[in-house]
Structure formats: C-alpha cells, structure tokens
Amino acid sequence: MIMPDIRINRISVSVAGLGVLTLMLFLCDIGSGAVAIPVGEVWKAMTGGACDESVRAIILDIRLVKALVALMAGAALSVSGLQMQTLFRNPLAGPYVLGISSGASLGVALFVLGAPLVGLAGRWMWLGSAGAAWLGSVTVLVLVSVISARLKDIMVVLIIGMMFSSGIGAIVQILQFLSREDALKSYVLWTMGSLSTVTSAQLAILVPAIAAGLVLALLTVKPLNMLLFGEEYALTMGLNLRSARGLLFTSTTLLAGTVTAFCGPIGFIGLAMPHVARMITDTADHRVLVPASMFCGAASVLLCDILASSFTLPVNAVTALLGIPVVIYVLFKAAKG
C-alpha cells in the first residue's frame, strides 16, 4: 500500500509543479517585450500595489490580454490533441486531424482572398477573418460528425478528415493564385499565427468558448479512459460510442477551432504537449492527463510567446521548433518498441 501512495504523491507534485511553472511563465510573458518589466512590477500591477501608472497601463491594457490568449490557446490545443490521440489511438494525431485547421483556413481564405475578387469585401467586412475561420472549422467538423455517425470504424473517419483537408487545401491554393497581392499578404500573415491580434472584445468571446470546451473535456475523462483499450472494450463497458464521439468532436471544435479562428494555425502544441504530460506524470489516466496537458500546453505557448517577443519572430515558427524534437523523440521511441 505504500507504493501507490508514493505514486499518487509524485503525480500530485508533478501537476502542482506544472501549475507553478505556468504561473511564473505567465508573469514573465507579461513582463517581456520591447520594454522589459521586472516580474515584481508585474505582480504589483496585477494585484493593485504601488506601481508606475505608465507601466500599469502597458501591463493591463496590452500585455495582459496577450498573455491570457497564450494561456488559453496553449491549454486548448494541448487538451484537444490529447483527446484526438486517445480517440484515434494514434500518438501522431493532433487537434487538426479532422480538418479543423483546414476548415478555418478555408474560411479565412474565402474572406480575405475570395471576397475582394467578387467585390464583396466592403459589404462583408463585419464578419471578420476570425468569424470566418470559426465558421469554416465548425462546418467541416459538422460534416465529419455526420459521416462518423454512420460509420463504426474511427480510422475511416480519420481518413475522411484528411481527405477534407487535402481538398480544402487545393481550394485555398486556387484562391491564393487568383488573389491580389495585398490580400495574399494578409492571409500569409494569418497563417503564421499571432497572439497579439486578439482584442479585449474578442477575448470576451475566446475565453468563454475555450472554457466551455475545457469543461466538455473534463466530461470526456471517463470515456477516454475506456477508449484506451479500444472501441470494442469500451462497448463492452457500456460506452455509447456515438455520444462519446459527439462530445469529443464538440470539445475539439470549441478548443482548436476557436484558437485557430482568433490566433491562426499554431502548430505542434496539440501534437507534442500531451506526450510531454505523459512523460512527466508517467500515467495514462486522463483524470491526471487532462489537467497536466492543460498546464503543459499553457506553459509551452507562454514560453514560445516570450521567445517570439524577444527575437521578433512569428509564434508559429517558435512552437514548431519546440514541438518537432518532441515528435521526433516519440517516433524514435515507437520505432524501438
């Protein structure tokens, strides 16, 4: 009985440590930028302590929003990646395997590239690229969900999602070929990903949407644990596969779709960070992995944002450099058996 207690304590310490690390990186992210602000000053501004008013304005009006976006985006992408990896029983599955990213890209492409071609840009400016991206991702996932309701083999659903992605990619390439130079530049900038373009008004939409997705993710803990041993085992345990898939797809859409809509496609976080969470906690129990993945994802995007701000780089490039070594390690480990 001593060993299980030691294991539980180690897992608790690991998750708590990830939480503390995330908090420290959150404060450091707020302090990083063109004008470096010490963490102590950030803490004072956040807690209402004595602080220079210009510093307080920079922190509360500009950097706090960006740091909150990084926090929420990292948690959302990592948890959605964990869900997809368990559902498909594939360590290389990510939050965009069902065509979510491609659907968002199509929405943005139609808005940024397609509308000017037919003279509708001015009339539909109210929609915005963020709304178009979210609608695109939701549309694709609804189509995949309808198809999955008629199929028993989840791998077929995965292949269909990949086919959707390929077809949408072809449409986007055609739009890029036909688009004007200024519209093409706007679209390319969106594909690089950005955490700084989200406004306070947009944050009021992003946070509730991601919060709802995370709540749904917590509700999928039991189904995910059942699916660890395959769908046949889950069925014998009484799991309603159609309801479980619907819940997982809805959660993934809210998480990955919302992040993609507002921040652009941020790669490798959803693919790599669930594996980091597994390595740190050394468990397959989703009661532990869901919160651990949230912290790992949030901490990684905050770190990437700090590096991107320090070297004036697109955040998507930094997340790729961070995530690729993890993915290579996973592939190497899988190859060795």
Side-chain angles (χ1 to χ4, degrees):
M1 294 299 294
I2 296 177
M3 291 302 292
D5 290 340
I6 294 175
R7 179 175 173 80
I8 291 172
N9 289 335
R10 188 181 68 79
I11 291 174
S12 299
V13 170
S14 299
V15 175
L18 287 171
V20 173
L21 175 63
T22 302
L23 176 60
M24 293 303 299
L25 287 171
F26 180 76
L27 296 176
C28 290
D29 189 27
I30 295 175
S32 64
V35 178
I37 301 174
V39 173
E41 292 296 310
V42 173
W43 182 257
K44 290 178 184 178
M46 296 281 292
T47 56
C51 178
D52 185 274
E53 288 304 315
S54 61
V55 172
R56 191 189 304 275
I58 292 174
I59 291 173
L60 298 182
D61 297 339
I62 302 174
R63 296 188 182 178
L64 178 60
V65 173
K66 185 164 70 77
L68 284 172
V69 172
L71 183 78
M72 299 296 291
L77 293 174
S78 184
V79 170
S80 60
L82 173 68
Q83 291 175 318
M84 292 299 97
Q85 288 170 8
T86 302
L87 177 62
F88 292 113
R89 301 185 70 191
N90 187 335
L92 296 181
Y96 302 133
V97 292
L98 295 178
I100 295 175
S101 178
S102 297
S105 298
L106 178 61
V108 173
L110 287 172
F111 177 75
V112 176
L113 304 177
L117 295 177
V118 293
L120 294 177
R123 190 180 305 173
W124 294 97
M125 281 300 291
W126 61 271
L127 184 62
S129 60
W134 199 85
L135 287 173
S137 63
V138 170
T139 301
V140 170
L141 200 60
V142 167
L143 290 173
V144 174
S145 298
V146 171
I147 294 171
S148 69
R150 300 175 178 272
L151 299 174
K152 293 183 179 180
D153 192 344
I154 194 64
M155 292 308 296
V156 176
V157 179
L158 174 62
I159 294 171
I160 290 172
M162 294 172 64
M163 293 301 99
F164 270 122
S165 298
S166 298
I168 290 171
I171 296 173
V172 171
Q173 285 183 346
I174 293 172
L175 289 171
Q176 286 179 298
F177 180 77
L178 297 174
S179 66
R180 300 171 183 170
E181 184 178 347
D182 54 342
L184 180 60
K185 181 179 179 181
S186 298
Y187 178 75
V188 171
L189 288 175
W190 179 82
T191 62
M192 292 181 180
S194 176
L195 304 171
S196 58
T197 56
V198 179
T199 64
S200 299
Q202 291 174 331
L203 193 66
I205 301 173
L206 182 143
V207 171
I210 290 179
L214 291 175
V215 170
L216 290 178
L218 293 174
L219 296 178
T220 65
V221 165
K222 186 175 180 181
L224 287 172
N225 280 340
M226 291 183 181
L227 288 168
L228 283 172
F229 301 99
E231 290 188 351
E232 294 298 326
Y233 173 82
L235 283 170
T236 61
M237 294 297 292
L239 179 66
N240 186 323
L241 281 178
R242 181 176 296 183
S243 298
R245 285 185 191 177
L247 195 62
L248 286 164
F249 288 167
T250 302
S251 176
T252 300
T253 301
L254 286 170
L255 295 173
T258 301
V259 172
T260 306
F262 288 96
C263 306
I266 299 176
F268 288 96
I269 297 300
L271 178 60
M273 288 305 112
H275 294 293
V276 175
R278 292 186 185 96
M279 287 185 281
I280 292 174
T281 60
D282 192 26
T283 182
D285 190 345
H286 287 80
R287 291 175 297 177
V288 175
L289 284 178
V290 169
S293 295
M294 287 173 56
F295 286 132
C296 283
S300 62
V301 176
L302 286 167
L303 175 61
C304 290
D305 189 41
I306 292 170
L307 295 173
S309 299
S310 301
F311 297 99
T312 319
L313 296 171
V315 69
N316 207 6
V318 183
T319 58
L321 292 174
L322 177 70
I324 286 173
V326 177
V327 177
I328 291 174
Y329 173 79
V330 171
L331 288 171
F332 184 75
K333 187 176 179 180
K336 290 183 66 176

